[in-house]
Amino acid sequence: MPTAHYERVRTFMRLAGQDTPRSVTEPDGPTRLLRARLILEEALETVTALGVDVRLGGHKVDYDTLQWRVQGDADLLGVVDGCADISVVTMGTLIAFGVKDEPVLEAVDHANLRKFGPGAYTRADGKWIKPPDWTPPDLKSVIGRMSNAGPGKQEGP
């Protein structure tokens, strides 16, 4: 049974003109490339927000200059395992910061669904670009509402 978050993301994808198959399939090359770019873009944004500088061969990783190409078929089991692992690691990062997931995911999902206003469009690589008047979710308020235990306090096992 899919979660509410899954259904909100699926709605976003349909509104953005992205395929949302109901059964297991291998997406085409452009779809796989888009998913790879989105995963790495969000991962690098998160790593930077963690205060970490990523370097490759001594050079700071610049997302915009990375070269991308689809090579061969997808490994379905590897993709599923990787996505599950990414979910576990990102959930663990929220936990390490004492942040509950559902209120944050709901706020982000609703903000994403507001990206379909006038001026929004699909970029050549398939990424949906938000309209000029779009506003991000108010995560500061969401986090403020969940600060019952106070900063730095830890819950027991």
Side-chain angles (χ1 to χ4, degrees), residues 54-105:
V54 178
R55 296 188 174 265
L56 181 62
H59 302 284
K60 183 170 170 55
V61 174
D62 180 0
Y63 178 82
D64 293 324
T65 62
L66 294 175
Q67 296 179 355
W68 299 83
R69 73 173 190 259
V70 175
Q71 185 174 312
D73 295 330
D75 169 6
L76 176 63
L77 294 178
V79 169
V80 171
D81 179 59
C83 287
D85 287 347
I86 289 168
S87 178
V88 169
V89 170
T90 57
M91 190 64 60
T93 304
L94 287 177
I95 292 166
F97 277 80
V99 175
K100 306 275 189 278
D101 66 325
E102 186 56 30
V104 170
L105 292 173

